[in-house]
């Protein structure tokens, strides 16, 4: 097979920084994490969150994700690490490649949930913010496969074919040197998914985890056909690679989540993170009717409380009228023996209430004298007319 042009593979899978070797695969993973945290942090702040929150939760999510990704790879490709001629210790050599995105997302979500719970944050809102960053991290991480010359596709002579060294070629095609660069296909697909999620999130204001679900659904579509092109060893179920079946199941679950979530919780969260440093001065205590209470001084009634004192309808009132909602009036006389008059036309013990507040509803008293003590509003209600036996009976004034 003659190829006019091709993409070369690195001659080595590591870069030496002096005496320190830096694996290309590890470098791609690290760069991906930084991009995910940076972009996720910007999106989180834009949605009303606090700076630094995404990085704090990533301290939980990233280690969980790495462990989950490695576990998925080892479990689904156990033949590479266990059995005759295999060394189980190689399962720990994560720098040699082998991270399953399905396990990374699943266990990474568990770590993110722990971090969100510690800060009182809902996981779906956090997932929406970091979704484009995660898929961009995948785009960068796929270049680690290029460094390791792994996970390539079927043989091809296309101009963008990937050159593979003889030591990394499949056993059934040892003489074929160029293959489909599936790492590049998936990397470009991931960039497109990131742009799609960012656009859809701005256009439709996705919330409650739907931006993350869109990322998952879109990624699985691309992963299905890219996985179908790969020629590396994999378990097959009903004639398809295991990862193809996984992509189908995850795609259906993501679409179902989008539909159900849109019906149950439409729109986007108005608040994604509790306010920090909340508090301050004491607020004015509300009165019984919901209005704030002002300080009452001597000789003046509380202007904010309605019905500061009420005269109960009847022949008698117990003691002097009570002042509700705080504040006391001094100098207001109390009516003794209310309901009785010794002298026609005069109420016993009634004194002028100076500054007591205007009596509301004064016109309700039949044939009563003008209510004195006009002043601030809300001072009380005028006494209702009582029974008169040849003389007007006036109930005591209120404070």
């Amino acid at each position: 097979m003659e190829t006019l042009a091709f993409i070369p593979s690195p001659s080595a899978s590591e870069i030496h920084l002096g005496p320190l070797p830096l694996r290309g695969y590890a470098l791609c993973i690290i760069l991906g994490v930084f991009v995910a945290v940076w972009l996720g942090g910007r999106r989180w702040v834009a949605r009303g969150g606090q700076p630094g929150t995404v990085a704090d939760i990533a301290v939980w999510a990233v280690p969980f994700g790495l462990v989950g990704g490695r576990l998925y790879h080892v479990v689904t490709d156990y033949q590479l690490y266990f059995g005759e001629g295999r060394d189980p210790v190689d399962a720990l050599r994560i720098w040699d490649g082998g991270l399953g995105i399905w396990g990374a997302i699943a266990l990474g979500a568990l770590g993110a949930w722990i971090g969100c719970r510690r800060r009182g944050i809902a996981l779906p809102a956090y997932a929406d913010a970091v979704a484009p960053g995660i898929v961009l991290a995948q785009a960068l991480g796929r270049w680690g496969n290029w460094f390791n010359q792994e996970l390539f596709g079927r043989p091809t002579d296309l101009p963008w074919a990937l050159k593979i060294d003889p030591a990394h070629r499949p056993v059934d095609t040892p003489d074929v040197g160029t293959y489909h660069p599936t790492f590049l296909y998936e990397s470009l697909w991931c960039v497109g998914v990131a742009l799609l999620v960012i656009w859809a999130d701005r256009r439709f204001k996705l919330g409650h985890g739907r931006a993350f679900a869109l990322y998952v659904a879109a990624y699985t579509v691309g992963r299905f056909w890219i996985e179908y092109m790969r020629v590396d060893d994999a378990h097959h179920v009903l004639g398809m690679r295991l990862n193809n079946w996984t992509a189908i199941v995850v795609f259906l679950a993501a679409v179902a989540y989008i539909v159900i979530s849109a019906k149950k919780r439409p729109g986007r969260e108005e608040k994604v993170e509790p306010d920090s440093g909340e508090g301050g001065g004491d607020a004015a205590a509300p009165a019984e009717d919901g209005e704030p209470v002002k300080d009452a001084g001597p000789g003046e009634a509380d202007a904010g409380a309605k019905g500061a004192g009420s005269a109960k309808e009847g022949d008698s009132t117990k003691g002097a009228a009570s002042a509700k909602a705080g504040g006391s009036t001094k100098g207001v006389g109390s009516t003794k023996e209310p309901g009785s008059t010794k002298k026609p036309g005069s109420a016993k013990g009634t004194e002028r209430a100076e500054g007591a507040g205007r009596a509301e509803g004064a016109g309700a008293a039949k044939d009563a004298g003008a209510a004195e003590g006009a002043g601030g509003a809300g001072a009380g209600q005028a006494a209702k007319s009582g029974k008169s036996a040849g003389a007007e009976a006036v109930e005591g004034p209120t404070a």
Side-chain angles (χ1 to χ4, degrees):
M1 181 181 298
E2 184 178 354
T3 305
L4 298 178
F6 57 84
I7 301 173
S9 291
S11 57
S13 61
E14 60 185 20
I15 303 171
H16 288 274
L17 301 177
L20 180 66
L22 180 61
R23 301 272 179 175
Y25 188 89
L27 177 62
C28 293
I29 297 297
I30 293 172
L31 290 176
V33 170
F34 274 108
V35 169
V37 172
W38 170 77
L39 181 57
R42 288 176 60 90
R43 286 172 51 83
W44 183 253
V45 172
R47 293 189 62 176
Q50 300 293 326
T53 296
V54 169
D56 292 343
I57 297 176
V59 172
W60 290 90
V62 172
F64 273 74
L66 291 175
V67 172
R70 188 60 175 178
L71 282 176
Y72 182 90
H73 167 73
V74 172
V75 170
T76 55
D77 291 312
Y78 60 87
Q79 72 279 358
L80 300 177
Y81 307 100
F82 305 99
E84 187 177 356
R86 300 293 182 177
D87 186 1
V89 177
D90 289 343
L92 303 177
R93 297 172 61 87
I94 192 173
W95 51 86
D96 287 337
L99 287 176
I101 187 61
W102 316 113
I105 294 298
L107 215 56
L110 175 60
W113 177 80
I114 295 174
C116 287
R117 185 176 177 84
R118 290 167 60 89
R119 297 184 67 105
I121 295 171
L123 178 60
Y126 180 83
D128 283 341
V130 300
I134 290 176
V135 72
L136 284 180
Q138 292 176 235
L140 290 170
R142 277 304 172 195
W143 284 83
N145 302 139
W146 177 63
F147 277 99
N148 290 345
Q149 298 192 44
E150 60 184 1
L151 306 184
F152 43 82
R154 295 189 294 268
T156 183
D157 58 353
L158 292 171
W160 56 84
L162 177 65
K163 180 74 173 179
I164 298 297
D165 295 337
H168 300 282
R169 296 172 187 173
V171 294
D172 54 346
T173 56
D175 298 329
V176 178
T178 55
Y179 300 81
H180 277 285
T182 51
F183 86 91
L184 180 61
Y185 298 161
E186 185 166 340
S187 180
L188 294 175
W189 182 268
C190 288
V191 172
V193 171
L195 296 176
L196 170 66
V197 173
I198 292 174
W199 171 81
D201 194 26
R202 291 178 178 176
R203 175 66 176 81
F204 303 105
K205 297 190 180 301
L206 302 176
H208 302 287
R210 289 188 287 277
F212 184 84
L214 175 61
Y215 138 64
V216 173
Y219 169 75
T220 54
V221 172
R223 178 62 184 265
F224 182 88
W225 66 268
I226 293 170
E227 186 76 22
Y228 190 74
M229 296 179 63
R230 283 167 45 171
V231 295
D232 53 294
D233 293 334
H235 294 285
H236 286 71
V237 178
L238 299 178
M240 279 200 312
R241 293 166 66 98
L242 177 60
N243 282 334
N244 283 118
W245 287 108
T246 305
I248 293 174
V249 173
V250 174
F251 171 80
L252 293 176
V255 172
Y257 180 88
I258 293 174
V259 174
I260 296 173
S261 174
K263 290 182 178 179
K264 289 189 173 182
R265 308 186 71 182
R268 176 186 285 181
E269 302 90 342
E270 295 182 359
K271 188 175 184 180
V272 297
E273 184 172 1
D275 294 333
S276 59
E278 206 170 18
D282 297 335
E288 290 186 3
D289 62 349
E291 295 183 7
V293 177
K294 299 179 181 179
D295 294 333
E300 59 182 20
D302 181 1
K306 294 181 179 179
S310 61
K312 296 183 179 180
E313 185 175 0
D315 294 334
S316 62
T317 55
K318 295 181 180 180
S322 59
K324 293 184 180 180
S328 61
T329 25
K330 297 182 180 180
V332 180
S334 62
T335 306
K336 296 181 181 179
E337 299 178 5
S340 66
T341 56
K342 287 187 177 181
K343 196 172 183 178
S346 65
K348 182 179 179 181
T350 303
E351 297 179 1
R352 181 187 299 264
E354 295 181 359
R358 186 179 307 275
E360 295 180 1
K366 283 186 179 182
D367 301 323
E372 295 182 1
Q381 298 177 349
K384 296 183 179 180
S385 60
K387 297 179 181 180
S388 64
E392 295 96 339
V394 182
E395 294 182 20
T398 58

